[in-house]
Amino acid sequence: MDNQESLKTPKEYMDALKALKPNIIKDRLLEKPCEDEDIQKGANVVALSYELARDPKYKDFMTVKSPLNGKIINRFNHIPLTKDDLRKKLKMIKTLASEVFCAQRCVGGDALHALHVGTYQVDKSNKFKTDYHQRFLKYLRYIQDNDIAPTAAVTDAKGDRSLPPHLQEEKHSNVFIEEETDKGIYVSGVKIPITMSLYTEEIIALPGLQYGEKDKDFAVAFAVPADAEGVERYVLGPDVTSLHGEYSPTHGLKYLNKEGMIIFNHVFVPKERVFLCGEYRFAATFANLFASLHRFSYTACKPAIYDIMTGTAMLISDYNGTKGEYFLSNTSEKIFEIYKTSIIVRGMAQAAVHSAKETESGAIFPDTIFANMGKYISSEYFHEAIRILQDMSGGLPPNLPYGELLKDEKYRPQMKKLLTRKKGIPIEDQYKLNEFIRVLVASNEGGLLQFGSKHGGGNKEAEKVAIYGNSLRNMSKCKKHVHKMVMNNK
Ligand SMILES: Cc1cc2nc3c(=O)[nH]c(=O)nc-3n(C[C@H](O)[C@H](O)[C@H](O)COP(=O)(O)OP(=O)(O)OC[C@H]3O[C@@H](n4cnc5c(N)ncnc54)[C@H](O)[C@@H]3O)c2cc1C
């Protein structure tokens, strides 16, 4: 990093991870977590965001001049101030997701953005007797100066969903303030599943739900180093593992989304890193700000996945000779059904930018209804796209023989019998495409992608509440309009 730029190299990012105290548990405590292949491949995803930010080809949208420190920084650490910032953020996420499926780093960027807006709102309601916003700006500067990629821990383990946190049998199901001193707070509890938590330097924790007065200890937002005393991180998804096959796609050979669980065991957070401390009325504000921003990010990454599924569907119909009409179905129509969602979600993203509004903190905020609707639509049609892809590719993807046989002279002729389809397509290419489809729609990695499409950024009900709540005034107007039409009263 130099005087003008605050941009780490991918190696500097990896070195920073290696310098952390070991606190990652897989089937045992990992003394050198960066040597674990799955964690390494997860870190490769984040490293790509560092790499592209330094590449002149991508700099225009991957970086921005920070109004805080005056340096060129990674856009993920910038608080969007203009509609152009939001547009470039969408471009950045889509570019990364086209390579790695889930860009992962947006989760921390969205938390920074939510804190910028939320801390100002709390201070204002406290008539500026609190200084959360100033604390946050100091923290943001630290993140920008050191080009850190933080994660955001919002979702608590929660326990029995029908009970509020203070009535849970296991109090630690939700993160809470255990003790408060002049110097700061001590926090405990569980956040899960937290994207990129296994390969981050910093954890930002936000409240995940709305809380009443009896749950005020759970209304807490803070940031700690990933290796702070008392933090434990657990590797999740034992079967979501690195791919090795020669015919495996890059995603899996080089990249992986390896999720983590964070347990806070009486972790000390100094005052300057506490951004909400018991103001329970603002717990929902923080959670909702984050959720809407994260759903906006989804309107960038999900079109990338729909585009990948569209391209896959087109290729497999080329390779299998299934283009055109077949009994009562038509390949083009099936492909259209996948691609249409990409168009709709991109449209929602553009609408969210078009109707974005400046907030009192100075940050711009994408339109809540369009951002939530974009995520809602992308989630609603995700399994439909997978269904079409499974239909179009036939039964081969999950039923491939072992790839090694293609190279074995004895068995290669047998493989040719199976894999020769459209004339001119080498059997290796046919195998690779079918393996790619297997990874995308019939593997543990693909399963994680499906869960992410449903629950990432909150579940469907939460999206509906955000859309409905913000649409009520307009919906009432609809009722009045119809009443006027029907009753014919001027
Ligand atoms: C791939 C992936 C990545 C993720 N990354 C992150 C991350 O980086 N950071 C983060 O903070 N979180 C992350 N999450 C978590 C995500 O935000 C949550 O999964 C999501 O909010 C849903 O919460 P949950 O898993 O606890 O499910 P639940 O809240 O238990 O929801 C499951 C179902 O139960 C219903 N339900 C919930 N409560 C009730 C009730 N009281 N009565 C009746 N029905 C109810 C819901 O509507 C839903 O249908 C990630 C999730 C996935 C899958």
Side-chain angles (χ1 to χ4, degrees), residues 182-254:
D182 290 347
K183 295 204 165 70
I185 56 173
Y186 289 84
V187 292
S188 286
V190 184
K191 295 277 192 185
I192 177 176
I194 309 305
T195 302
M196 66 168 279
S197 55
L198 304 173
Y199 27 92
T200 186
E201 295 170 70
E202 282 280 326
I203 299 164
I204 297 172
L206 299 177
L209 293 173
Q210 66 176 34
Y211 300 124
E213 192 171 1
K214 287 185 182 154
D215 288 318
K216 68 180 172 46
D217 291 345
F218 298 86
V220 60
F222 60 88
V224 287
D227 63 347
E229 191 65 38
V231 170
E232 280 178 325
R233 295 179 285 165
Y234 288 77
V235 182
L236 305 178
D239 290 331
V240 180
T241 52
S242 301
L243 298 175
H244 298 104
E246 191 178 332
Y247 304 110
S248 297
T250 357
H251 183 273
L253 281 181
K254 189 169 178 199

Side-chain angles (χ1 to χ4, degrees), residues 107 152-155 158 161 193-195 259 451-452 455 458-459 461:
V107 74
V154 186
T155 313
K158 295 199 289 258
R161 269 63 180 153
I194 309 305
T195 302
E259 296 287 326
F451 269 86
H455 290 293
N459 52 46
E461 280 68 29

Side-chain angles (χ1 to χ4, degrees), residues 102-138:
C102 172
Q104 301 192 32
R105 198 170 163 181
C106 52
V107 74
D110 294 337
L112 294 171
H113 193 164
L115 281 172
H116 195 279
V117 180
T119 50
Y120 189 91
Q121 286 186 18
V122 188
D123 287 347
K124 190 181 170 200
S125 98
N126 289 334
K127 302 200 166 42
F128 296 99
K129 284 179 197 138
T130 46
D131 65 344
Y132 291 124
H133 192 62
Q134 289 310 316
R135 288 183 197 178
F136 169 70
L137 290 179
K138 211 171 140 203

